[in-house]
Amino acid sequence: AQSVTQPDIHITVSEGASLELRCNYSYGATPYLFWYVQSPGQGLQLLLKYFSGDTLVQGIKGFEAEFKRSQSSFNLRKPSVHWSDAAEYFCAVGDPGGFKTIFGAGTRLFVKA
Amino acid sequence: NAGVTQTPKFRVLKTGQSMTLLCAQDMNHEYMYWYRQDPGMGLRLIHYSVGEGTTAKGEVPDGYNVSRLKKQNFLLGLESAAPSQTSVYFCASGQLEAFFGQGTRLTVV
């Protein structure tokens, strides 16, 4: 069965520090992978997606993620975090049909000055 | 650009009452979805639709019904609300990339 695990419920980083949010998935075929961000009181916004090709994908707001098939991981990174990045981040895995996207439980990011 | 619009944004219901949540999208998407979001559980798919006149069950469909009479609208109904349905409900549209509404916070007392 498909599943997505985000091991960290919450993470705190200092402004300007680097960030890595972990995501592991279980999927029987080549997955479609996504990272979404949710600011308080808002819906989810797509940060980046991986379908095929280059395993390092660039997204909006300076985020990137790397697909590692051998580790079943799709970790999200940012070199320098800004206070405005404080939000909840969701990793998701989907199929080509698009209607069986499974979301992880989310990681809440806190940014300290 | 409106994108995906959900109404209402907040609602309080008494146990046993009914209500309908409306989702409208202006991106001409075939696929639309209803999710519920609960703390520590991410988003769980309630129902989805792959086109006008079609609906299908997702992961947690019990207690909910949906209709897709027009391509741009996807309605989620609660016939007899229960406290377990207290949640934040999100509508989304799109096939590979999902575009989300801002959510409806529903409290059932």
Side-chain angles (χ1 to χ4, degrees):
Chain A
Q2 300 172 58
S3 67
V4 179
T5 302
Q6 294 181 246
D8 304 304
I9 297 173
H10 54 81
I11 283 181
T12 301
V13 300
S14 298
E15 191 169 16
S18 63
L19 170 70
E20 182 169 30
L21 301 182
R22 296 182 291 165
C23 173
N24 293 97
Y25 66 89
S26 173
Y27 193 75
T30 300
Y32 287 13
L33 296 160
F34 308 85
W35 275 100
Y36 287 86
V37 61
Q38 183 182 32
S39 297
Q42 302 295 313
L44 279 70
Q45 180 186 20
L46 182 70
L47 281 176
L48 48 79
K49 60 194 176 194
Y50 171 78
F51 293 162
S52 65
D54 191 347
T55 56
L56 184 64
V57 293
Q58 303 297 321
I60 61 171
K61 305 185 181 185
F63 286 91
E64 66 178 27
E66 186 171 12
F67 169 56
K68 292 186 177 180
R69 186 186 301 275
S70 62
Q71 298 178 19
S72 297
S73 69
F74 189 57
N75 294 349
L76 182 71
R77 300 194 294 249
K78 187 170 185 177
S80 177
V81 168
H82 187 262
W83 64 266
S84 60
D85 293 324
E88 189 152 22
Y89 292 79
F90 293 92
C91 181
V93 60
D95 68 338
F99 46 83
K100 293 185 179 179
T101 302
I102 304 295
F103 287 82
T107 297
R108 183 167 294 279
L109 173 65
F110 297 95
V111 180
K112 61 181 181 181
Chain B
N1 325 334
V4 179
T5 303
Q6 292 182 233
T7 53
K9 290 185 171 44
F10 303 93
R11 186 72 185 269
V12 178
L13 286 181
K14 294 182 178 179
T15 297
Q17 286 186 319
S18 64
M19 79 163 294
T20 300
L21 282 67
L22 172 64
C23 177
Q25 54 100 359
D26 61 3
M27 295 172 282
N28 203 35
H29 289 153
E30 293 290 341
Y31 287 37
M32 296 187 74
Y33 319 84
W34 276 106
Y35 290 93
R36 59 177 290 172
Q37 182 180 32
D38 301 291
M41 303 190 75
L43 277 76
R44 292 180 292 168
L45 183 64
I46 305 171
H47 285 281
Y48 64 95
S49 168
V50 299
E52 181 178 319
T54 75
T55 63
K57 294 180 180 180
E59 181 185 356
V60 288
D62 294 342
Y64 305 95
N65 57 75
V66 287
S67 64
R68 183 97 181 267
L69 298 179
K70 293 183 178 181
K71 185 177 184 178
Q72 63 268 33
N73 295 337
F74 194 29
L75 278 62
L76 178 71
L78 287 72
E79 290 189 347
S80 180
S84 61
Q85 294 178 304
T86 293
S87 187
V88 181
Y89 292 86
F90 285 99
C91 176
S93 72
Q95 182 166 354
L96 294 176
E97 176 180 345
F99 294 83
F100 284 81
Q102 294 201 323
T104 296
R105 184 173 294 276
L106 175 65
T107 302
V108 183
V109 298

